[in-house]
Amino acid sequence: MTYGFGGKGRTSGFGGKGMTYGFGGKGRTSGFGGKGMTYGFGGKGRTSGFGGKGITYGFGGKGRTSGFGGKGMTYGFGGKGRTSGFGGKGMTYGFGGKGRTSGFGGKGKTSGLGGKGRTSGFGGKGKTSGLGGKGRTSGFGGKGITSGFGGKGMTYGFGGKGKTSGLGGKGRTSGFGGKGITYGFGGNGYTSGLGGSGFTSGFGGSGYTSGEGGNGRTSGCGGNGLTSGCSR
């Protein structure tokens, strides 16, 4: 179904369903049981594959959903989102938000002004929010959250968990079950290895934790900490 001023829609395949309406909206749906909806001013959406579901709306929103049971939603002003793979789920919204979700059961959410997030791998979960926040999550069951102004966080590996917040906070977590938290103004933290735990906070604090069960904590103004080895 296509209606409105300059709306363009295409539906093909077995049981494909597509709806496009509004001013200059463009939508395409293909494959077995694919479902897509595009509306708003200049919205563009594409849905393909087996049972793929996608919705795109708002001013200049762009969304793409593909693969087996992939689900994606993109809305807001200039929001861009892409979801692919088996059961991948992604949501992107806000002003200029950009999000990408791929792999088996990957889940990603990106919101805020210019927030950028990427989630990939088996069961990876990532969330990015705030003004200019950037987050990346990959691997088996990796979980990462990034928020605040210009916060940057990366989490990868088996069951790695990382959290970054505040103005310009930077955090990285890797390895098997590594856990790291970084927050504050310009805080920097790194956690790696099997079960390593690291904490960095304050103004310009820098912390590093590595090895098996290493624990490190750095706080205050310009504090520096390093923890490595087995259960130190």
Side-chain angles (χ1 to χ4, degrees):
M1 177 177 287
T2 304
Y3 59 95
F5 191 101
K8 297 180 181 181
R10 179 169 180 174
T11 304
S12 60
F14 190 103
K17 298 180 181 181
M19 176 177 279
T20 304
Y21 61 95
F23 191 103
K26 298 181 180 181
R28 180 167 182 172
T29 303
S30 60
F32 189 104
K35 298 180 180 181
M37 176 177 278
T38 304
Y39 61 96
F41 191 104
K44 298 181 180 181
R46 180 167 180 171
T47 303
S48 60
F50 189 106
K53 298 181 181 181
I55 195 166
T56 304
Y57 61 94
F59 191 104
K62 298 181 180 181
R64 180 167 182 172
T65 303
S66 60
F68 188 105
K71 297 180 180 181
M73 177 176 279
T74 304
Y75 61 96
F77 191 104
K80 298 181 180 181
R82 181 167 180 172
T83 303
S84 60
F86 188 105
K89 298 180 181 181
M91 177 177 278
T92 304
Y93 61 93
F95 190 104
K98 298 180 181 181
R100 180 166 182 171
T101 304
S102 60
F104 189 105
K107 298 180 180 181
K109 183 170 188 176
T110 303
S111 62
L113 175 49
K116 298 181 180 182
R118 180 166 182 171
T119 303
S120 60
F122 189 105
K125 298 181 180 181
K127 182 170 186 175
T128 303
S129 61
L131 176 49
K134 298 181 180 182
R136 180 167 182 172
T137 304
S138 61
F140 189 104
K143 298 181 180 181
I145 196 165
T146 303
S147 61
F149 189 104
K152 298 180 180 181
M154 176 176 279
T155 304
Y156 60 95
F158 190 104
K161 298 181 181 181
K163 181 169 184 174
T164 304
S165 61
L167 176 48
K170 298 180 181 181
R172 181 169 185 172
T173 304
S174 61
F176 189 105
K179 298 181 181 181
I181 229 179
T182 304
Y183 64 91
F185 191 103
N188 297 313
Y190 191 101
T191 303
S192 62
L194 175 49
S197 300
F199 191 100
T200 304
S201 62
F203 190 105
S206 299
Y208 191 102
T209 303
S210 62
E212 180 177 345
N215 297 308
R217 177 163 183 166
T218 303
S219 62
C221 184
N224 297 309
L226 177 56
T227 302
S228 60
C230 183
S231 299
R232 287 189 180 179

